[in-house]
Amino acid sequence: MKNFYITTPIYYVNDRPHIGHAYTTILADVISRQYKFQKINSIFLTGLDEHGQKVEQAAIKNNISPKEHCDSMVPRFKELWDKLNIKYDDFIRTTENRHTTIVKKILQKVYDNGDIYFDEYEGLYSISEERFITEKEAESGIFKDIKKLKEKNYFFKMSAYQQELIEHIKQNPDFIMPDYRKNEVLGFLNKPLNDLCISRPKSRLKWGIELPFDKNYVTYVWFDALINYISSIGYSNSNEKFRKFWPANIHLIGKDILTTHCVYWPTMLMSIGLDLPKTIFAHGWWLNKDSKMSKSVGNVINPLDLIDEFDEDSLRFFLMRDMKLGQDSNFSEELFFTRYNSDLANDLGNLLSRITNLIDKFFEGKLSSGFDKSSRGRIVQVESSKVISFTNECFRKMKINEAIDNSMNCIKSINKYIESMAPWKLVKTDMTAASSVLLTSAEALRISCLSLIAVMPNKMNQALNILGDNSFNCDWGFFENGLTVKKHEPLFPRIDVSIKKNHNKSHKMNPSDNIISYEKFSNIELKVAQIKQVVKIDNSDKLYKIIADIGKSKIQIVSGISKHYNLEDLVGKNIIVVTNLKGSKIFGIQSEGMLLAAKKGKKLSLITSNSDDLVLGEKIY
Ligand code: MSP
């Protein structure tokens, strides 16, 4: 293989990136690094999906243009990718010129082919999904915001390619992976395929790419978004980059977007006469206590919390090791701590410290003799010599967790070898033998670290540096003539889980523990509000139901301030409210936010303002 091209989905710009988005992007980064490590000319693309109704609505809500809204959201993704040490080669935004011009070019081409037609359609439309849904989907109860819609639109003749697609899937076993996802798609294709509605009238949606053949319509977000995979590499047969990297080797996706990638996208490509991607790989979901993480459920885990406390490599390792590619996995801090302590602190970190401390203590940091030629020494040599080729093979088969498993087993074997050879005892009788055991262990560890370098680039580079290897040579024998090790801090300091548990239980924090990142602070939406109506809640001697004006809308808050304020004194006050708190029911009444107050002894005082410079609904920074 000369060239390699891997992509992630382009994420909705409106989303706050969480561990699920981070997972796909880390996975793509790890795979891309492994191919680059093999000196294969690789590119890795990620980016953002920026058109559609939700973006338009969010912009209106914030009183800015959709483009300004998108621009303000981009850093959240880019900063997270930097923190996770993601080395993408290209970051595409669907609002970029290089993308929109190609989408238009393709729409025109498909239209000229006769694969796009205009028709009136009446059906059930999901507002949140921004698409027509089937009767069956409507009955599923998943969609809460369905309306009947009769509209003239443009349709893509997806059905014309149904048979060709089925044939392609059957003849190319690697096209959709894993196998059970392939069967799911084939099952879907068993029934007649409907044509795809690919337009939205501008009367309903403006924030999209205008159809080149009808200025009253914009294109459907999926038709727009999928094209990013070819627009980013300059779709055109005269473009060298495009010829080199298309078809992509792997489109990585979550199982939630299987149909769009395995049915819409291939039929679009067939219509414009392009080869299909070699593999579409759908991974499972990271769950929190068996439920999919989602903003509306409120069980989203923010990866930044863990990176701030530990380091990005430990998180990358955990995510890559604990998900069997394709299946769902549960994420919890406890699982993370256990994995960290057993694999990273105990097995890998301790092995490195043990080898370097012994070399330091008995050999002044330097070894010069050859390897251990005993049968035990040879077993370690044989096992670790194979670890890199095994890793590469696993990556080719998309069995990343198996590759990591094998590297960790190799590290366990080196630990056992040292344990059985006891070089700390050997030094009393045979310094040369002790030295060769340590040299053999260091060489085996060096190769194991190289096999994990795509997963943990920073930590493994540090480990290699401590061992004195900057060659990235994957063959056995680099330390044959000796080595010099460096003194170092523990690479993966053990986590005291009992402290963590108590810490989480009591929520008592030292002032320094209580520091939060700017990112965390900026997640809190504080707004200027004016109290419009206050009602005392029956059977409660503390609670008021407060309706406050926050500019374009009102917010209802249940608050325990009735002992501190008379009803009538509150109306008209300018206060500060938290508007993005998860809603809850208090005394059976929905509360959607919180108002800010300070305590003086037992008295509560609302934070109020009489300033004329404040505008209702204005965000507070
Ligand atoms: N914009 C579309 C994709 C267009 S691609 C041409 C979209 N965006 S998304 O922001 O919703 O991202 C979905 C992707 O995020 C999933 O396919 C998956 O890669 C990742 N994940 C989001 N939540 C996830 C989990 N809980 N677990 C694992 N990955 C998930 O769909």
Side-chain angles (χ1 to χ4, degrees):
M1 183 190 292
K2 275 212 313 254
N3 303 313
F4 179 80
Y5 176 29
I6 187 165
T7 66
T8 71
I10 46 171
Y11 306 109
Y12 289 127
V13 71
N14 257 3
D15 277 0
R16 195 166 280 285
H18 61 66
I19 206 99
H21 305 110
Y23 172 71
T24 317
T25 317
I26 293 172
L27 180 59
D29 184 61
V30 167
I31 296 173
S32 145
R33 282 177 189 264
Q34 191 65 30
Y35 279 90
K36 284 175 181 153
F37 183 70
Q38 295 170 72
K39 306 256 174 339
I40 292 169
N41 192 7
S42 306
I43 51 172
F44 155 28
L45 169 75
T46 189
L48 293 175
D49 190 350
E50 303 192 351
H51 289 122
Q53 212 159 11
K54 285 180 198 145
V55 176
E56 192 172 77
Q57 282 160 355
I60 293 172
K61 200 170 148 206
N62 294 328
N63 238 334
I64 49 177
S65 72
K67 181 64 171 53
E68 280 171 325
H69 171 74
C70 293
D71 290 347
S72 74
M73 306 300 264
V74 175
R76 292 205 304 207
F77 285 88
K78 286 199 166 172
E79 280 164 20
L80 178 60
W81 301 156
D82 280 351
K83 282 206 159 191
L84 286 167
N85 202 1
I86 304 289
K87 290 268 173 297
Y88 49 79
D89 298 288
D90 196 358
F91 187 99
I92 188 143
R93 299 178 53 189
T94 52
T95 47
E96 283 175 76
N97 235 335
R98 63 169 170 156
H99 176 73
T100 54
T101 45
I102 285 177
V103 171
K104 286 186 182 180
K105 185 171 149 188
I106 289 174
L107 277 163
Q108 190 64 54
K109 191 165 181 175
V110 179
Y111 187 70
D112 294 343
N113 280 348
D115 277 345
I116 290 178
Y117 61 94
F118 196 50
D119 199 6
E120 183 163 63
Y121 182 78
E122 182 169 16
L124 300 168
Y125 187 82
S126 157
I127 302 168
S128 62
E129 288 293 299
E130 297 176 39
R131 66 175 174 94
F132 284 103
I133 56 170
T134 60
E135 296 265 342
K136 207 166 163 213
E137 282 176 314
E139 282 160 15
S140 71
I142 302 170
F143 307 93
K144 292 188 181 62
D145 44 4
I146 307 167
K147 65 175 179 184
K148 248 201 165 152
L149 198 70
K150 192 172 176 181
E151 204 168 70
K152 282 196 162 166
N153 265 310
Y154 288 89
F155 289 81
F156 167 52
K157 276 191 199 159
M158 206 153 68
S159 54
Y161 299 96
Q162 178 164 6
Q163 212 40 49
E164 198 179 331
L165 178 59
I166 294 173
E167 288 306 312
H168 184 88
I169 297 173
K170 286 187 176 162
Q171 277 163 23
N172 295 275
D174 288 346
F175 178 54
I176 301 172
M177 285 172 75
D179 255 10
Y180 43 89
R181 298 284 169 229
K182 175 174 73 187
N183 296 336
E184 209 176 305
V185 176
L186 283 173
F188 178 80
L189 288 169
N190 241 338
K191 288 164 252 140
L193 197 56
N194 289 329
D195 288 339
L196 183 68
C197 173
I198 56 149
S199 66
R200 298 289 179 264
K202 275 197 183 160
S203 53
R204 206 145 58 72
L205 173 70
K206 287 185 186 57
W207 188 235
I209 301 175
E210 192 179 285
L211 298 186
F213 41 84
D214 191 337
K215 62 179 176 8
N216 295 317
Y217 285 84
V218 295
T219 192
Y220 169 48
V221 274
W222 274 102
F223 205 95
D224 162 357
L226 287 160
I227 291 174
N228 90 88
Y229 300 133
I230 52 178
S231 65
S232 64
I233 50 170
Y235 162 62
S236 152
N237 281 331
S238 59
N239 185 321
E240 201 193 319
K241 187 174 182 186
F242 182 74
R243 284 204 313 269
K244 219 160 139 185
F245 289 104
W246 191 258
N249 296 74
I250 303 174
H251 287 325
L252 268 185
I253 57 166
K255 62 180 183 179
D256 47 329
I257 50 178
L258 192 68
T259 312
T260 47
H261 279 78
C262 300
V263 180
Y264 298 7
W265 182 224
T267 51
M268 285 163 68
L269 289 167
M270 283 171 175
S271 172
I272 52 174
L274 281 188
D275 286 343
L276 305 193
K278 292 191 181 132
T279 296
I280 300 169
F281 193 100
H283 63 70
W285 282 337
W286 279 100
L287 309 173
N288 186 353
K289 300 200 179 87
D290 292 323
S291 319
K292 181 173 189 254
M293 285 179 228
S294 83
K295 228 173 16 183
S296 48
V297 178
N299 62 351
V300 170
I301 291 171
N302 183 349
L304 283 172
D305 293 346
L306 287 169
I307 315 168
D308 284 348
E309 202 170 346
F310 302 96
D311 61 272
E312 78 286 353
D313 279 344
S314 310
L315 180 66
R316 290 168 65 108
F317 177 83
F318 174 80
L319 294 177
M320 294 302 108
R321 165 127 207 197
D322 271 51
M323 184 179 276
K324 186 156 189 253
L325 254 178
Q327 297 173 7
D328 292 348
S329 278
N330 264 299
F331 187 94
S332 78
E333 287 203 352
E334 283 72 26
L335 288 171
F336 172 75
F337 296 153
T338 311
R339 178 60 81 194
Y340 175 98
N341 275 344
S342 71
D343 285 10
L344 296 180
N346 285 3
D347 289 351
L348 178 51
N350 270 356
L351 178 62
L352 178 69
S353 301
R354 206 171 191 191
I355 294 174
T356 53
N357 289 343
L358 288 169
I359 298 175
D360 198 43
K361 186 166 170 196
F362 298 112
F363 298 91
E364 291 172 350
K366 259 192 187 146
L367 296 180
S368 52
S369 70
F371 294 123
D372 175 12
K373 300 276 193 295
S374 74
S375 60
R376 281 184 186 157
R378 288 210 185 271
I379 291 172
V380 170
Q381 173 177 347
V382 168
E383 190 176 352
S384 52
S385 298
K386 285 193 281 200
V387 79
I388 302 233
S389 54
F390 187 84
T391 302
N392 290 336
E393 190 53 32
C394 285
F395 270 73
R396 261 190 288 284
K397 295 184 188 148
M398 293 295 282
K399 295 193 167 162
I400 317 299
N401 60 316
E402 260 178 44
I404 300 176
D405 234 31
N406 182 59
S407 302
M408 293 317 293
N409 283 339
C410 188
I411 285 165
K412 279 198 174 79
S413 302
I414 309 169
N415 265 319
K416 278 195 195 133
Y417 165 69
I418 293 205
E419 203 58 52
S420 66
M421 301 304 278
W424 54 92
K425 284 189 196 152
L426 266 181
V427 285
K428 293 179 197 145
T429 54
D430 188 343
M431 281 296 267
T432 313
S435 168
S436 62
V437 167
L438 288 171
L439 197 64
T440 301
S441 308
E443 176 74 14
L445 175 59
R446 181 187 78 80
I447 297 181
S448 307
C449 289
L450 283 172
S451 73
L452 289 167
I453 204 160
V455 181
M456 295 186 285
N458 263 335
K459 290 285 185 184
M460 291 307 95
N461 267 308
Q462 277 177 40
L464 290 164
N465 186 35
I466 290 163
L467 290 170
D469 172 22
N470 52 16
S471 70
F472 298 106
N473 186 327
C474 298
D475 299 327
W476 176 271
F478 182 72
F479 287 154
E480 177 126 51
N481 301 318
L483 85 172
T484 307
V485 294
K486 296 192 182 72
K487 285 205 162 70
H488 64 97
E489 299 279 310
L491 203 58
F492 298 102
R494 247 190 101 74
I495 303 171
D496 189 335
V497 181
S498 64
I499 292 180
K500 285 273 159 223
K501 277 190 186 146
N502 290 337
H503 170 97
N504 287 345
K505 255 190 226 155
S506 66
H507 288 290
K508 276 187 192 141
M509 295 187 206
N510 296 326
S512 62
D513 288 336
N514 205 9
I515 301 290
I516 59 167
S517 62
Y518 179 76
E519 166 81 9
K520 242 185 169 176
F521 168 71
S522 65
N523 288 348
I524 304 170
E525 237 178 40
L526 294 170
K527 285 191 175 168
V528 180
Q530 189 174 66
I531 299 181
K532 290 289 175 202
Q533 194 194 354
V534 187
V535 181
K536 186 162 177 345
I537 294 182
D538 287 344
N539 303 326
S540 163
D541 58 355
K542 281 197 199 133
L543 300 174
Y544 279 149
K545 182 175 94 179
I546 295 173
I547 310 276
D549 184 349
I550 46 170
K552 293 214 154 51
S553 59
K554 297 217 165 52
I555 187 166
Q556 173 169 303
I557 297 172
V558 175
S559 175
I561 54 168
S562 74
K563 283 192 173 156
H564 311 280
Y565 287 93
N566 292 328
L567 289 174
E568 48 290 292
D569 292 343
L570 284 172
V571 176
K573 271 195 192 309
N574 286 342
I575 55 167
I576 294 168
V577 292
V578 183
T579 53
N580 63 338
L581 200 63
K582 191 179 165 213
S584 65
K585 282 209 162 145
I586 306 176
F587 266 64
I589 296 168
Q590 183 67 17
S591 182
E592 291 151 354
M594 186 177 263
L595 34 82
L596 296 196
K599 250 186 176 168
K600 186 180 177 198
K602 287 191 170 166
K603 169 99 182 107
L604 266 184
S605 242
L606 284 176
I607 312 287
T608 58
S609 169
N610 297 323
S611 166
D612 291 336
D613 288 334
L614 295 179
V615 180
L616 295 188
E618 203 60 52
K619 199 170 170 206
I620 296 169
Y621 296 93

